[in-house]
Each structure stands twice: as C-alpha cells, then as structure tokens.
Amino acid sequence: MIKVSLIAAVFIFNMISLDTGFCQEKTEERERIIKTYSGQVTNVDWTGSLISVRSSDEKTFQVPSDVKIREQTEYISLSDIEIDDNVEISYYENSSGEAVAVSIVLNKDYPAF
C-alpha cells in the first residue's frame, strides 16, 4: 500500500512539474521585448538563416523562415539581401541570448542609418 501511494505521489509531482514548465515557457514568449537594430549588412548565410549587420558594432541575427522581409511595399526573401545593403531589423533575444529577427526592412535607396 505504501509503495502504491509513493508511486502515485511521484506521478502527481511529475505531472505538476510538467504543467508548470509548460506555463513558464508560454509566459516567456509573452514577455519578449522587441528591439530594433539598423545598419549595413556584412554577411548573409542563407543556409544557416543568419544575417550579420554592422552599426557601431556587429550583431548577428537568426532569421526564422516565417520572418517578413520587406523592401518598400514588396515582400522579398533573405536571398535578395546583399552585402552592404542597409537594413532595419526588429528582433528579440531568446533565452540563450541569441538575437532572433521578427522582421527586416531593406533600404537599398538610403544611406546607412
């Protein structure tokens, strides 16, 4: 009887722990702080979905496949961005401290920000 009670207690504890972890992950997603970074493109890695931009310092961003990339009124792809293009990136930092792009605006006709 004690063994069954102990197993039940461990099972219930694990279920509560899993549920709490799920809620914490959802909370972190809602607390994202969106920042912007503007500068000149120094590297584009289409395979790794990364873009590096230099302003006062150089910063590398992950570019998820669902990120909207826009030039004026048209949506474009990451492969349309070239070295030395001027961009403005909206991003957040994930739990590992990596910058993850939310949107990218390409400004080919304008000087660096």
Side-chain angles (χ1 to χ4, degrees), residues 16-32:
I16 291 171
S17 296
L18 287 174
D19 187 47
T20 303
F22 178 75
C23 291
Q24 183 178 6
E25 183 177 318
K26 291 294 182 187
T27 301
E28 287 177 9
E29 284 183 19
R30 284 182 273 158
E31 294 178 1
R32 288 183 183 161

Side-chain angles (χ1 to χ4, degrees), residues 92-103:
Y92 68 93
E93 292 180 355
N94 65 17
S95 59
S96 301
E98 300 164 320
V100 181
V102 175
S103 67

Side-chain angles (χ1 to χ4, degrees), residues 6-59:
L6 181 61
I7 291 172
V10 168
F11 177 76
I12 291 170
F13 176 77
N14 285 337
M15 292 304 293
I16 291 171
S17 296
L18 287 174
D19 187 47
T20 303
F22 178 75
C23 291
Q24 183 178 6
E25 183 177 318
K26 291 294 182 187
T27 301
E28 287 177 9
E29 284 183 19
R30 284 182 273 158
E31 294 178 1
R32 288 183 183 161
I33 297 172
I34 304 298
K35 303 175 184 179
T36 59
Y37 190 89
S38 300
Q40 196 168 32
V41 176
T42 58
N43 188 39
V44 182
D45 177 355
W46 300 285
T47 307
S49 296
L50 299 170
I51 186 170
S52 297
V53 178
R54 178 177 301 280
S55 184
S56 57
D57 59 341
E58 186 169 87
K59 192 167 190 72

